[in-house]
Amino acid sequence: MTPEPHGLISPMSSRLPLVVVALDAADPDLLAQWAAKGHLPTLARIMDTGWWGRLAGPDLSIEHGAWVSLLSGRSRREHGYHYFRQLAPGSYDLELVRGQDVDARPFWADLSPGHRVAILDVPDMTPIPGVEGIQLADWAVHNPESPPTALPATILDEAQRIFGPQDPIEEHLRSTETEDRALFNRLLARIPRKGDLVRQLVQDGDFDLIVAGFGEVHTGGHQFWRYRPGGEAEGGPLTHAIRDLYAATDLELAKLLDAIGEANVVVLSSVGLRDQYPMTGISEAFFHQLGYQAAPEPSGGWPRPIDVARRLLPERIRIALSQRLSRDQREALLADQFRTGTDWSRTTAFSIPSAYATFVRVNLKGREPQGIVESSNLDALLDQIEADFRQLVDPETGEPVVERIERPREVFGADASDMLPDLFVHWRPIPRFLQRVRHPRAELVQDEPEFFRDSDHTRHGFIAASGPAFSARGCAADVDVLRVAPLLRAALEHPETPSGTVSPTASEAT
Protein backbone atom coordinates (compact mmCIF):
# COMPACT_ATOMS: atom_id res chain seq x y z
CA MET A 1 0.00 0.00 0.00
CA THR A 2 1.09 3.56 -0.61
CA PRO A 3 2.07 5.26 2.67
CA GLU A 4 -0.77 7.27 4.21
CA PRO A 5 -0.33 10.99 3.50
CA HIS A 6 0.66 13.03 6.51
CA GLY A 7 0.47 16.76 7.12
CA LEU A 8 -2.30 19.15 6.11
CA ILE A 9 -2.39 22.00 3.60
CA SER A 10 -4.87 23.73 5.89
CA PRO A 11 -7.19 22.76 8.76
CA MET A 12 -9.95 22.29 6.16
CA SER A 13 -8.05 19.76 4.07
CA SER A 14 -7.72 16.04 4.77
CA ARG A 15 -5.12 15.28 2.11
CA LEU A 16 -1.98 16.66 0.57
CA PRO A 17 -2.39 18.75 -2.55
CA LEU A 18 -1.26 17.45 -5.92
CA VAL A 19 0.97 19.95 -7.72
CA VAL A 20 1.50 19.38 -11.44
CA VAL A 21 3.95 21.57 -13.32
CA ALA A 22 3.67 21.46 -17.11
CA LEU A 23 6.98 22.35 -18.77
CA ASP A 24 5.73 22.82 -22.30
CA ALA A 25 7.94 20.89 -24.76
CA ALA A 26 10.91 20.67 -22.38
CA ASP A 27 13.22 18.07 -23.88
CA PRO A 28 13.36 14.89 -21.72
CA ASP A 29 17.03 14.21 -22.45
CA LEU A 30 18.03 17.77 -21.59
CA LEU A 31 15.96 17.69 -18.40
CA ALA A 32 17.65 14.48 -17.22
CA GLN A 33 21.10 15.67 -18.30
CA TRP A 34 20.88 19.08 -16.64
CA ALA A 35 19.29 17.67 -13.48
CA ALA A 36 22.20 15.22 -13.16
CA LYS A 37 24.74 18.03 -13.65
CA GLY A 38 23.20 20.23 -10.97
CA HIS A 39 21.63 22.87 -13.19
CA LEU A 40 18.08 21.84 -12.17
CA PRO A 41 18.33 21.09 -8.45
CA THR A 42 14.60 21.14 -7.76
CA LEU A 43 13.86 18.64 -10.50
CA ALA A 44 16.83 16.54 -9.38
CA ARG A 45 15.38 16.38 -5.86
CA ILE A 46 12.00 15.24 -7.20
CA MET A 47 13.70 12.58 -9.31
CA ASP A 48 15.89 11.41 -6.43
CA THR A 49 12.99 11.08 -3.98
CA GLY A 50 10.47 9.65 -6.45
CA TRP A 51 10.39 8.09 -9.88
CA TRP A 52 10.88 9.50 -13.36
CA GLY A 53 11.05 8.48 -16.98
CA ARG A 54 10.10 9.26 -20.54
CA LEU A 55 6.56 9.46 -21.83
CA ALA A 56 5.91 7.55 -25.03
CA GLY A 57 3.21 5.92 -27.12
CA PRO A 58 1.44 6.49 -30.44
CA ASP A 59 -0.30 9.60 -29.13
CA LEU A 60 3.07 11.38 -29.00
CA SER A 61 3.76 10.67 -32.66
CA ILE A 62 2.61 14.23 -33.44
CA GLU A 63 3.19 17.27 -31.20
CA HIS A 64 -0.19 18.91 -31.76
CA GLY A 65 -2.72 17.30 -29.45
CA ALA A 66 -0.08 15.77 -27.17
CA TRP A 67 -1.24 17.76 -24.14
CA VAL A 68 -4.87 16.91 -24.95
CA SER A 69 -4.18 13.17 -24.83
CA LEU A 70 -1.82 13.50 -21.89
CA LEU A 71 -4.23 15.33 -19.60
CA SER A 72 -7.47 13.69 -20.72
CA GLY A 73 -6.31 10.10 -21.11
CA ARG A 74 -8.21 10.00 -24.41
CA SER A 75 -6.41 8.86 -27.53
CA ARG A 76 -6.28 10.49 -30.92
CA ARG A 77 -8.31 7.47 -31.96
CA GLU A 78 -11.24 9.24 -30.28
CA HIS A 79 -10.57 12.97 -30.50
CA GLY A 80 -8.79 12.99 -33.88
CA TYR A 81 -6.81 16.18 -33.19
CA HIS A 82 -3.40 16.04 -34.88
CA TYR A 83 -2.59 19.48 -36.31
CA PHE A 84 -3.71 23.08 -35.94
CA ARG A 85 -4.85 23.02 -39.59
CA GLN A 86 -7.19 20.15 -40.48
CA LEU A 87 -9.67 19.24 -43.16
CA ALA A 88 -13.21 20.22 -42.23
CA PRO A 89 -15.35 17.05 -42.25
CA GLY A 90 -17.22 16.48 -45.50
CA SER A 91 -15.39 19.20 -47.42
CA TYR A 92 -12.10 20.32 -48.95
CA ASP A 93 -12.05 23.34 -46.64
CA LEU A 94 -9.21 23.84 -44.21
CA GLU A 95 -10.10 24.90 -40.69
CA LEU A 96 -8.06 25.98 -37.69
CA VAL A 97 -8.30 23.60 -34.74
CA ARG A 98 -7.03 24.11 -31.20
CA GLY A 99 -6.86 21.77 -28.26
CA GLN A 100 -9.70 23.72 -26.66
CA ASP A 101 -11.94 22.80 -29.60
CA VAL A 102 -11.56 19.06 -29.06
CA ASP A 103 -14.02 16.88 -27.15
CA ALA A 104 -11.48 15.52 -24.67
CA ARG A 105 -12.00 16.89 -21.18
CA PRO A 106 -8.96 17.00 -18.88
CA PHE A 107 -8.96 14.78 -15.82
CA TRP A 108 -9.88 17.65 -13.46
CA ALA A 109 -13.13 18.38 -15.32
CA ASP A 110 -14.99 15.51 -13.65
CA LEU A 111 -13.46 15.19 -10.21
CA SER A 112 -15.70 14.15 -7.36
CA PRO A 113 -17.41 17.04 -5.53
CA GLY A 114 -15.38 18.98 -3.03
CA HIS A 115 -12.11 19.20 -4.92
CA ARG A 116 -10.82 22.73 -5.46
CA VAL A 117 -8.47 23.26 -8.38
CA ALA A 118 -6.16 25.97 -9.68
CA ILE A 119 -5.52 25.51 -13.41
CA LEU A 120 -3.08 28.15 -14.65
CA ASP A 121 -1.86 28.47 -18.24
CA VAL A 122 -1.95 24.77 -19.03
CA PRO A 123 -1.20 24.22 -22.75
CA ASP A 124 -4.22 23.56 -24.99
CA MET A 125 -6.66 24.00 -22.10
CA THR A 126 -9.49 26.48 -21.60
CA PRO A 127 -11.55 27.22 -18.46
CA ILE A 128 -14.29 24.66 -17.85
CA PRO A 129 -17.55 25.88 -16.27
CA GLY A 130 -18.67 24.08 -13.16
CA VAL A 131 -15.19 23.23 -11.86
CA GLU A 132 -14.66 24.51 -8.33
CA GLY A 133 -11.65 26.80 -7.96
CA ILE A 134 -9.83 29.15 -10.34
CA GLN A 135 -8.80 28.75 -13.98
CA LEU A 136 -6.64 31.02 -16.13
CA ALA A 137 -5.76 30.29 -19.77
CA ASP A 138 -3.57 31.87 -22.46
CA TRP A 139 -2.01 34.48 -20.19
CA ALA A 140 1.69 33.70 -20.73
CA VAL A 141 1.93 30.65 -22.99
CA HIS A 142 3.87 29.52 -26.05
CA ASN A 143 2.73 31.34 -29.22
CA PRO A 144 -0.66 32.46 -27.84
CA GLU A 145 -3.51 32.09 -30.31
CA SER A 146 -6.40 33.41 -28.20
CA PRO A 147 -7.02 36.26 -25.76
CA PRO A 148 -6.67 35.19 -22.11
CA THR A 149 -9.76 33.83 -20.38
CA ALA A 150 -10.51 32.96 -16.77
CA LEU A 151 -13.08 31.56 -14.37
CA PRO A 152 -14.07 33.45 -12.39
CA ALA A 153 -13.49 36.37 -14.73
CA THR A 154 -12.02 38.44 -11.89
CA ILE A 155 -8.87 36.30 -12.09
CA LEU A 156 -7.95 38.32 -15.18
CA ASP A 157 -7.86 41.45 -13.05
CA GLU A 158 -5.82 39.62 -10.43
CA ALA A 159 -3.35 38.46 -13.09
CA GLN A 160 -3.00 42.02 -14.36
CA ARG A 161 -2.38 43.30 -10.84
CA ILE A 162 0.27 40.68 -10.00
CA PHE A 163 1.96 40.16 -13.33
CA GLY A 164 1.57 43.60 -14.86
CA PRO A 165 0.45 44.11 -18.47
CA GLN A 166 0.16 40.86 -20.36
CA ASP A 167 3.40 40.08 -22.22
CA PRO A 168 2.73 37.65 -25.09
CA ILE A 169 5.99 36.42 -26.61
CA GLU A 170 5.99 34.54 -29.91
CA GLU A 171 8.79 32.91 -31.85
CA HIS A 172 10.53 35.32 -34.20
CA LEU A 173 11.35 33.51 -37.44
CA ARG A 174 14.39 34.52 -39.52
CA SER A 175 15.70 36.58 -36.60
CA THR A 176 19.17 38.03 -36.12
CA GLU A 177 21.36 37.25 -33.11
CA THR A 178 20.68 40.74 -31.75
CA GLU A 179 16.93 40.12 -31.98
CA ASP A 180 17.37 36.71 -30.35
CA ARG A 181 19.29 38.19 -27.43
CA ALA A 182 16.48 40.67 -26.85
CA LEU A 183 13.88 37.90 -26.98
CA PHE A 184 15.93 35.78 -24.56
CA ASN A 185 16.00 38.64 -22.07
CA ARG A 186 12.21 39.01 -22.35
CA LEU A 187 11.65 35.29 -21.77
CA LEU A 188 14.10 35.18 -18.87
CA ALA A 189 12.39 38.17 -17.25
CA ARG A 190 8.91 36.70 -17.74
CA ILE A 191 9.62 33.42 -15.94
CA PRO A 192 9.89 34.88 -12.39
CA ARG A 193 6.85 37.08 -13.06
CA LYS A 194 4.96 33.97 -14.10
CA GLY A 195 6.17 32.12 -11.01
CA ASP A 196 5.05 34.98 -8.78
CA LEU A 197 1.66 35.01 -10.50
CA VAL A 198 1.17 31.29 -9.82
CA ARG A 199 2.27 31.55 -6.17
CA GLN A 200 0.05 34.51 -5.38
CA LEU A 201 -3.00 33.01 -7.05
CA VAL A 202 -2.73 29.75 -5.09
CA GLN A 203 -1.41 30.98 -1.75
CA ASP A 204 -4.77 31.38 0.01
CA GLY A 205 -6.91 29.01 -2.01
CA ASP A 206 -6.83 25.69 -0.09
CA PHE A 207 -6.51 23.86 -3.42
CA ASP A 208 -6.46 20.08 -3.78
CA LEU A 209 -5.01 20.29 -7.30
CA ILE A 210 -2.68 22.89 -8.78
CA VAL A 211 -1.66 22.60 -12.44
CA ALA A 212 0.64 25.35 -13.72
CA GLY A 213 2.16 25.63 -17.17
CA PHE A 214 5.41 27.34 -18.18
CA GLY A 215 5.65 28.01 -21.93
CA GLU A 216 8.92 29.92 -22.03
CA VAL A 217 10.95 26.74 -22.43
CA HIS A 218 8.94 25.86 -25.55
CA THR A 219 9.35 29.25 -27.22
CA GLY A 220 13.00 29.50 -26.21
CA GLY A 221 13.76 25.93 -27.17
CA HIS A 222 12.88 26.66 -30.79
CA GLN A 223 14.24 30.20 -30.86
CA PHE A 224 17.68 29.33 -29.48
CA TRP A 225 18.07 25.81 -30.85
CA ARG A 226 20.81 26.77 -33.28
CA TYR A 227 22.92 28.34 -30.50
CA ARG A 228 23.00 25.29 -28.21
CA PRO A 229 26.21 23.24 -27.81
CA GLY A 230 26.44 21.25 -31.02
CA GLY A 231 24.15 23.64 -32.89
CA GLU A 232 25.12 25.45 -36.05
CA ALA A 233 25.65 28.79 -34.23
CA GLU A 234 27.11 27.66 -30.90
CA GLY A 235 29.90 29.56 -29.18
CA GLY A 236 28.24 32.93 -28.65
CA PRO A 237 26.40 34.53 -25.73
CA LEU A 238 23.29 32.40 -26.37
CA THR A 239 25.07 29.02 -26.19
CA HIS A 240 23.40 28.22 -22.86
CA ALA A 241 20.19 30.16 -23.44
CA ILE A 242 17.96 27.08 -23.40
CA ARG A 243 19.63 25.74 -20.25
CA ASP A 244 19.26 29.12 -18.55
CA LEU A 245 15.52 29.17 -19.27
CA TYR A 246 15.17 25.65 -17.85
CA ALA A 247 17.16 26.68 -14.75
CA ALA A 248 15.04 29.80 -14.20
CA THR A 249 11.88 27.68 -14.40
CA ASP A 250 13.38 25.15 -11.98
CA LEU A 251 13.91 27.99 -9.48
CA GLU A 252 10.27 29.02 -9.76
CA LEU A 253 9.26 25.40 -9.14
CA ALA A 254 11.32 25.47 -5.95
CA LYS A 255 9.65 28.69 -4.79
CA LEU A 256 6.19 27.26 -5.52
CA LEU A 257 6.84 24.08 -3.55
CA ASP A 258 8.30 26.04 -0.65
CA ALA A 259 5.18 28.21 -0.57
CA ILE A 260 2.80 25.24 -0.66
CA GLY A 261 4.60 22.97 1.78
CA GLU A 262 4.30 19.20 1.71
CA ALA A 263 2.64 17.98 -1.47
CA ASN A 264 2.56 15.27 -4.07
CA VAL A 265 4.45 16.69 -7.04
CA VAL A 266 4.49 15.76 -10.73
CA VAL A 267 6.58 17.44 -13.43
CA LEU A 268 5.44 16.84 -17.00
CA SER A 269 6.64 17.64 -20.49
CA SER A 270 4.71 16.70 -23.59
CA VAL A 271 7.49 16.27 -26.20
CA GLY A 272 11.14 17.13 -26.79
CA LEU A 273 13.09 18.91 -29.52
CA ARG A 274 15.28 17.87 -32.41
CA ASP A 275 16.80 19.16 -35.64
CA GLN A 276 14.15 19.51 -38.33
CA TYR A 277 13.51 21.85 -41.23
CA PRO A 278 10.17 22.31 -43.00
CA MET A 279 9.23 19.97 -45.84
CA THR A 280 6.14 21.91 -46.92
CA GLY A 281 7.14 22.32 -50.57
CA ILE A 282 8.47 18.78 -50.94
CA SER A 283 5.17 17.34 -49.72
CA GLU A 284 3.22 19.45 -52.18
CA ALA A 285 5.56 18.60 -55.07
CA PHE A 286 5.37 14.88 -54.24
CA PHE A 287 1.64 14.64 -54.86
CA HIS A 288 1.55 16.86 -57.91
CA GLN A 289 4.64 15.57 -59.72
CA LEU A 290 4.00 11.89 -59.05
CA GLY A 291 0.46 12.12 -60.36
CA TYR A 292 -1.67 11.78 -57.25
CA GLN A 293 -3.02 15.34 -57.14
CA ALA A 294 -4.27 16.94 -60.36
CA ALA A 295 -4.19 20.64 -61.16
CA PRO A 296 -7.35 22.21 -62.60
CA GLU A 297 -7.68 22.41 -66.36
CA PRO A 298 -7.58 25.96 -67.80
CA SER A 299 -11.10 27.36 -67.61
CA GLY A 300 -10.85 29.66 -70.62
CA GLY A 301 -12.22 32.57 -68.58
CA TRP A 302 -10.39 35.43 -66.95
CA PRO A 303 -8.13 34.23 -64.12
CA ARG A 304 -8.63 35.67 -60.67
CA PRO A 305 -6.15 38.40 -59.66
CA ILE A 306 -5.03 36.30 -56.69
CA ASP A 307 -4.17 33.39 -59.00
CA VAL A 308 -2.19 35.67 -61.32
CA ALA A 309 -0.24 37.03 -58.34
CA ARG A 310 0.57 33.53 -57.10
CA ARG A 311 1.88 32.56 -60.52
CA LEU A 312 3.93 35.67 -61.28
CA LEU A 313 5.31 36.88 -57.95
CA PRO A 314 8.52 35.26 -56.67
CA GLU A 315 8.19 33.24 -53.46
CA ARG A 316 10.21 35.72 -51.39
CA ILE A 317 7.90 38.58 -52.37
CA ARG A 318 4.80 36.53 -51.62
CA ILE A 319 6.24 35.72 -48.19
CA ALA A 320 7.01 39.39 -47.51
CA LEU A 321 3.49 40.41 -48.47
CA SER A 322 1.96 37.57 -46.47
CA GLN A 323 3.77 38.63 -43.31
CA ARG A 324 1.81 41.89 -43.39
CA LEU A 325 -1.45 39.99 -43.08
CA SER A 326 -3.09 38.64 -39.94
CA ARG A 327 -2.95 34.93 -39.22
CA ASP A 328 -6.62 34.53 -40.11
CA GLN A 329 -6.08 36.32 -43.44
CA ARG A 330 -3.08 34.14 -44.27
CA GLU A 331 -5.01 31.00 -43.41
CA ALA A 332 -7.95 32.11 -45.54
CA LEU A 333 -5.66 32.62 -48.56
CA LEU A 334 -4.02 29.24 -48.00
CA ALA A 335 -7.40 27.52 -47.69
CA ASP A 336 -8.58 29.15 -50.94
CA GLN A 337 -5.44 28.07 -52.77
CA PHE A 338 -5.79 24.52 -51.43
CA ARG A 339 -9.46 24.21 -52.36
CA THR A 340 -9.32 25.83 -55.82
CA GLY A 341 -5.85 24.66 -56.84
CA THR A 342 -6.85 21.02 -57.31
CA ASP A 343 -9.07 19.14 -59.72
CA TRP A 344 -10.67 16.89 -57.16
CA SER A 345 -12.41 14.79 -59.80
CA ARG A 346 -8.99 13.54 -60.97
CA THR A 347 -7.15 13.45 -57.62
CA THR A 348 -6.50 10.17 -55.81
CA ALA A 349 -4.54 11.49 -52.80
CA PHE A 350 -3.28 14.77 -51.39
CA SER A 351 -1.60 16.25 -48.32
CA ILE A 352 -2.84 18.85 -45.86
CA PRO A 353 -0.48 21.88 -45.93
CA SER A 354 1.89 21.39 -42.99
CA ALA A 355 5.42 22.32 -41.96
CA TYR A 356 6.94 19.07 -40.76
CA ALA A 357 5.11 15.73 -40.72
CA THR A 358 3.10 15.12 -43.90
CA PHE A 359 -0.58 14.27 -43.45
CA VAL A 360 -1.78 12.15 -46.36
CA ARG A 361 -5.46 11.94 -47.20
CA VAL A 362 -6.91 9.63 -49.85
CA ASN A 363 -9.72 11.12 -51.95
CA LEU A 364 -11.99 8.30 -50.84
CA LYS A 365 -15.41 7.79 -52.38
CA GLY A 366 -18.15 8.21 -49.80
CA ARG A 367 -15.93 10.18 -47.43
CA GLU A 368 -14.69 13.12 -49.47
CA PRO A 369 -17.13 15.31 -51.46
CA GLN A 370 -15.70 14.28 -54.85
CA GLY A 371 -13.97 11.09 -53.81
CA ILE A 372 -12.90 8.80 -56.65
CA VAL A 373 -11.00 6.00 -54.86
CA GLU A 374 -13.05 2.92 -54.03
CA SER A 375 -12.63 1.62 -50.48
CA SER A 376 -11.58 -1.73 -51.93
CA ASN A 377 -8.57 0.01 -53.51
CA LEU A 378 -7.55 1.99 -50.43
CA ASP A 379 -4.85 -0.34 -49.12
CA ALA A 380 -3.26 -0.80 -52.54
CA LEU A 381 -3.10 2.96 -53.05
CA LEU A 382 -1.58 3.49 -49.62
CA ASP A 383 1.01 0.81 -50.40
CA GLN A 384 1.92 2.67 -53.59
CA ILE A 385 2.16 6.03 -51.81
CA GLU A 386 4.34 4.53 -49.09
CA ALA A 387 6.63 2.94 -51.67
CA ASP A 388 7.04 6.29 -53.44
CA PHE A 389 7.87 8.08 -50.20
CA ARG A 390 10.46 5.47 -49.29
CA GLN A 391 12.23 6.05 -52.60
CA LEU A 392 12.90 9.71 -51.82
CA VAL A 393 16.60 10.39 -51.18
CA ASP A 394 18.81 13.31 -50.25
CA PRO A 395 20.80 14.06 -53.45
CA GLU A 396 23.82 15.13 -51.38
CA THR A 397 24.13 11.91 -49.37
CA GLY A 398 21.98 9.39 -51.22
CA GLU A 399 20.25 8.54 -47.94
CA PRO A 400 16.47 8.17 -47.54
CA VAL A 401 14.75 11.31 -46.27
CA VAL A 402 11.71 9.57 -44.74
CA GLU A 403 12.19 8.26 -41.21
CA ARG A 404 8.95 6.35 -40.73
CA ILE A 405 5.39 6.08 -42.07
CA GLU A 406 2.35 5.28 -39.94
CA ARG A 407 -1.18 4.29 -40.85
CA PRO A 408 -3.40 5.72 -38.12
CA ARG A 409 -6.04 3.06 -38.60
CA GLU A 410 -3.43 0.38 -37.96
CA VAL A 411 -1.91 2.27 -35.02
CA PHE A 412 -5.17 3.38 -33.39
CA GLY A 413 -7.62 0.83 -34.76
CA ALA A 414 -10.05 0.58 -37.65
CA ASP A 415 -12.60 2.69 -35.78
CA ALA A 416 -10.21 5.63 -35.40
CA SER A 417 -11.63 9.10 -35.92
CA ASP A 418 -12.24 10.13 -39.55
CA MET A 419 -10.51 13.40 -38.69
CA LEU A 420 -7.20 11.54 -38.79
CA PRO A 421 -5.34 11.33 -42.11
CA ASP A 422 -4.67 8.02 -43.83
CA LEU A 423 -0.90 8.29 -43.43
CA PHE A 424 1.50 10.13 -41.16
CA VAL A 425 4.81 10.61 -42.97
CA HIS A 426 7.69 11.55 -40.67
CA TRP A 427 10.85 13.00 -42.20
CA ARG A 428 14.35 12.26 -41.01
CA PRO A 429 15.86 14.93 -38.70
CA ILE A 430 18.39 16.49 -41.07
CA PRO A 431 20.23 19.60 -39.74
CA ARG A 432 19.89 21.60 -42.97
CA PHE A 433 17.11 22.73 -45.26
CA LEU A 434 16.54 20.34 -48.16
CA GLN A 435 15.89 22.32 -51.32
CA ARG A 436 15.88 19.21 -53.49
CA VAL A 437 14.84 15.61 -53.02
CA ARG A 438 15.27 12.91 -55.65
CA HIS A 439 12.74 10.28 -56.68
CA PRO A 440 13.38 7.78 -59.51
CA ARG A 441 10.71 9.54 -61.58
CA ALA A 442 11.14 13.17 -60.52
CA GLU A 443 13.19 15.75 -58.74
CA LEU A 444 11.15 17.53 -56.07
CA VAL A 445 12.14 21.11 -55.31
CA GLN A 446 11.06 23.55 -52.60
CA ASP A 447 11.79 27.15 -51.65
CA GLU A 448 11.98 28.35 -48.07
CA PRO A 449 8.37 28.59 -46.86
CA GLU A 450 6.92 31.43 -44.84
CA PHE A 451 7.17 29.28 -41.69
CA PHE A 452 10.88 28.51 -41.61
CA ARG A 453 12.42 27.05 -38.45
CA ASP A 454 15.30 24.68 -37.71
CA SER A 455 13.65 22.49 -35.07
CA ASP A 456 10.58 20.41 -34.42
CA HIS A 457 9.60 17.82 -31.86
CA THR A 458 10.49 14.31 -30.79
CA ARG A 459 7.93 11.69 -29.87
CA HIS A 460 8.93 11.43 -26.20
CA GLY A 461 7.92 13.49 -23.19
CA PHE A 462 8.97 13.48 -19.54
CA ILE A 463 7.46 12.66 -16.17
CA ALA A 464 8.82 12.85 -12.62
CA ALA A 465 6.66 12.16 -9.57
CA SER A 466 7.41 12.43 -5.86
CA GLY A 467 5.43 12.43 -2.64
CA PRO A 468 3.55 10.03 -0.38
CA ALA A 469 1.10 9.10 -3.15
CA PHE A 470 3.97 7.71 -5.26
CA SER A 471 5.79 4.71 -3.84
CA ALA A 472 8.02 3.72 -6.75
CA ARG A 473 11.59 4.96 -6.89
CA GLY A 474 14.20 5.49 -9.58
CA CYS A 475 14.16 5.54 -13.35
CA ALA A 476 11.18 3.93 -15.06
CA ALA A 477 10.93 2.49 -18.52
CA ASP A 478 8.86 4.47 -21.01
CA VAL A 479 5.38 5.26 -19.68
CA ASP A 480 2.48 5.40 -22.12
CA VAL A 481 1.13 8.94 -22.26
CA LEU A 482 -2.47 7.73 -21.86
CA ARG A 483 -1.64 6.40 -18.38
CA VAL A 484 -0.83 9.84 -17.02
CA ALA A 485 -4.35 11.23 -16.55
CA PRO A 486 -5.58 8.12 -14.66
CA LEU A 487 -2.39 8.20 -12.58
CA LEU A 488 -2.94 11.84 -11.60
CA ARG A 489 -6.59 11.28 -10.80
CA ALA A 490 -5.69 8.30 -8.58
CA ALA A 491 -3.02 10.28 -6.76
CA LEU A 492 -5.49 13.12 -6.19
CA GLU A 493 -8.61 11.21 -5.20
CA HIS A 494 -7.26 8.05 -3.61
CA PRO A 495 -4.18 8.70 -1.50
CA GLU A 496 -4.39 5.17 -0.06
CA THR A 497 -4.71 3.42 -3.43
CA PRO A 498 -2.23 0.57 -4.00
CA SER A 499 0.94 1.97 -5.49
CA GLY A 500 0.47 0.17 -8.78
CA THR A 501 -2.36 2.57 -9.58
CA VAL A 502 -0.39 5.72 -9.04
CA SER A 503 3.08 4.60 -10.04
CA PRO A 504 4.67 2.71 -12.92
CA THR A 505 3.95 -0.99 -12.86
CA ALA A 506 6.56 -3.31 -11.42
CA SER A 507 7.79 -4.07 -14.92
CA GLU A 508 8.21 -0.35 -15.66
CA ALA A 509 10.01 0.72 -12.50
CA THR A 510 13.67 -0.07 -12.04
Side-chain angles (χ1 to χ4, degrees):
M1 299 288 290
T2 304
E4 182 176 348
H6 53 87
L8 304 175
I9 188 173
S10 78
M12 299 296 293
S13 176
S14 62
R15 71 185 79 214
L16 293 178
L18 174 63
V19 179
V20 181
V21 176
L23 304 180
D24 192 14
D27 186 83
D29 295 333
L30 295 179
L31 287 171
Q33 171 188 328
W34 289 334
K37 290 185 176 181
H39 299 298
L40 309 177
T42 313
L43 179 61
R45 185 167 64 251
I46 294 169
M47 295 164 67
D48 289 343
T49 59
W51 62 268
W52 61 278
R54 296 194 311 175
L55 297 178
D59 277 85
L60 292 189
S61 180
I62 300 292
E63 183 259 337
H64 284 90
W67 281 111
V68 173
S69 292
L70 194 160
L71 294 173
S72 72
R74 294 188 66 193
S75 171
R76 296 182 197 273
R77 177 182 66 81
E78 300 172 79
H79 63 69
Y81 179 41
H82 58 279
Y83 197 52
F84 74 87
R85 182 189 300 125
Q86 296 184 184
L87 198 64
S91 76
Y92 297 114
D93 292 323
L94 299 177
E95 62 178 1
L96 294 179
V97 182
R98 305 172 305 160
Q100 297 95 316
D101 302 323
V102 178
D103 181 21
R105 290 162 65 89
F107 73 93
W108 59 79
D110 302 299
L111 294 175
S112 56
H115 286 90
R116 281 180 52 80
V117 307
I119 310 300
L120 308 173
D121 266 357
V122 181
D124 273 345
M125 298 294 142
T126 193
I128 300 171
V131 175
E132 186 177 352
I134 62 173
Q135 301 173 73
L136 174 68
D138 295 310
W139 183 265
V141 297
H142 169 67
N143 287 355
E145 298 177 354
S146 305
T149 54
L151 285 176
T154 54
I155 295 299
L156 290 175
D157 295 330
E158 278 292 286
Q160 175 90 7
R161 179 185 63 80
I162 299 167
F163 186 89
Q166 193 199 13
D167 185 22
I169 303 175
E170 299 185 12
E171 294 172 60
H172 187 175
L173 305 177
R174 295 182 173 86
S175 56
T176 65
E177 182 175 325
T178 299
E179 291 169 331
D180 285 339
R181 292 174 67 177
L183 194 142
F184 169 72
N185 289 331
R186 287 183 62 198
L187 288 170
L188 195 62
R190 196 176 79 172
I191 291 172
R193 292 165 61 203
K194 179 63 172 294
D196 188 48
L197 172 64
V198 172
R199 290 192 302 276
Q200 291 200 45
L201 287 178
V202 306
Q203 64 183 356
D204 299 321
D206 187 24
F207 295 107
D208 300 287
L209 171 67
I210 298 167
V211 189
F214 286 82
E216 291 81 7
V217 292
H218 191 163
T219 309
H222 286 307
Q223 194 73 36
F224 312 123
W225 184 249
R226 60 186 171 131
Y227 302 107
R228 78 195 190 285
E232 63 175 333
E234 68 170 317
L238 293 173
T239 295
H240 300 297
I242 298 175
R243 189 191 71 189
D244 291 346
L245 294 177
Y246 282 41
T249 307
D250 186 82
L251 178 59
E252 296 309 309
L253 173 58
K255 293 178 181 178
L256 176 62
L257 297 181
D258 286 344
I260 292 173
E262 190 174 8
N264 295 306
V265 183
V266 177
V267 176
L268 294 173
S269 175
S270 52
V271 288
L273 293 168
R274 70 176 190 173
D275 289 322
Q276 196 88 64
Y277 280 85
M279 296 293 278
T280 311
I282 297 297
S283 296
E284 181 179 348
F286 176 93
F287 286 94
H288 282 94
Q289 290 183 229
L290 297 184
Y292 295 106
Q293 189 170 358
E297 298 288 350
S299 63
W302 289 99
R304 299 183 306 168
I306 186 67
D307 297 325
V308 175
R310 287 173 180 149
R311 187 169 62 251
L312 296 181
L313 290 177
E315 181 75 11
R316 66 181 185 279
I317 296 178
R318 296 204 304 272
I319 290 175
L321 292 174
S322 176
Q323 290 173 342
R324 297 176 179 270
L325 303 176
S326 69
R327 182 173 187 250
D328 287 345
Q329 290 171 324
R330 294 196 303 270
E331 287 295 324
L333 288 174
L334 177 64
D336 176 78
Q337 182 180 7
F338 174 80
R339 183 178 57 254
T340 63
T342 297
D343 182 347
W344 301 105
S345 69
R346 297 188 295 120
T347 290
T348 58
F350 55 97
S351 65
I352 305 301
S354 60
Y356 297 104
T358 296
F359 306 116
V360 179
R361 186 91 172 178
V362 169
N363 198 22
L364 193 64
K365 186 178 291 187
R367 183 181 67 183
E368 316 302 348
Q370 301 178 51
I372 64 172
V373 178
E374 299 285 349
S375 58
S376 58
N377 296 329
L378 176 61
D379 287 337
L381 178 58
L382 292 177
D383 289 342
Q384 178 185 335
I385 295 170
E386 279 199 41
D388 278 330
F389 269 113
R390 295 187 189 281
Q391 293 183 78
L392 298 179
V393 298
D394 179 349
E396 286 193 22
T397 65
E399 295 180 345
V401 295
V402 170
E403 181 179 55
R404 70 187 187 278
I405 300 175
E406 297 169 324
R407 299 192 185 188
R409 280 156 193 82
E410 291 181 358
V411 173
F412 297 110
D415 61 343
S417 169
D418 271 345
M419 294 177 65
L420 293 172
D422 296 304
L423 291 178
F424 289 136
V425 179
H426 302 274
W427 304 91
R428 284 183 55 229
I430 299 173
R432 57 187 169 82
F433 179 63
L434 290 179
Q435 292 182 306
R436 299 177 184 276
V437 169
R438 186 176 298 136
H439 183 275
R441 302 199 312 272
E443 182 177 63
L444 312 182
V445 179
Q446 65 173 353
D447 295 319
E448 289 187 8
E450 177 188 350
F451 185 87
F452 188 75
R453 195 178 66 190
D454 61 358
S455 59
D456 196 43
H457 295 285
T458 67
R459 51 195 319 224
H460 289 99
F462 180 86
I463 183 170
S466 179
F470 304 103
S471 63
R473 295 293 180 268
C475 180
D478 288 357
V479 178
D480 191 285
V481 66
L482 296 183
R483 295 195 62 224
V484 173
L487 181 151
L488 297 177
R489 179 190 286 273
L492 179 65
E493 292 200 310
H494 307 290
E496 297 184 1
T497 300
S499 60
T501 304
V502 294
S503 305
T505 64
S507 63
E508 289 175 329
T510 58

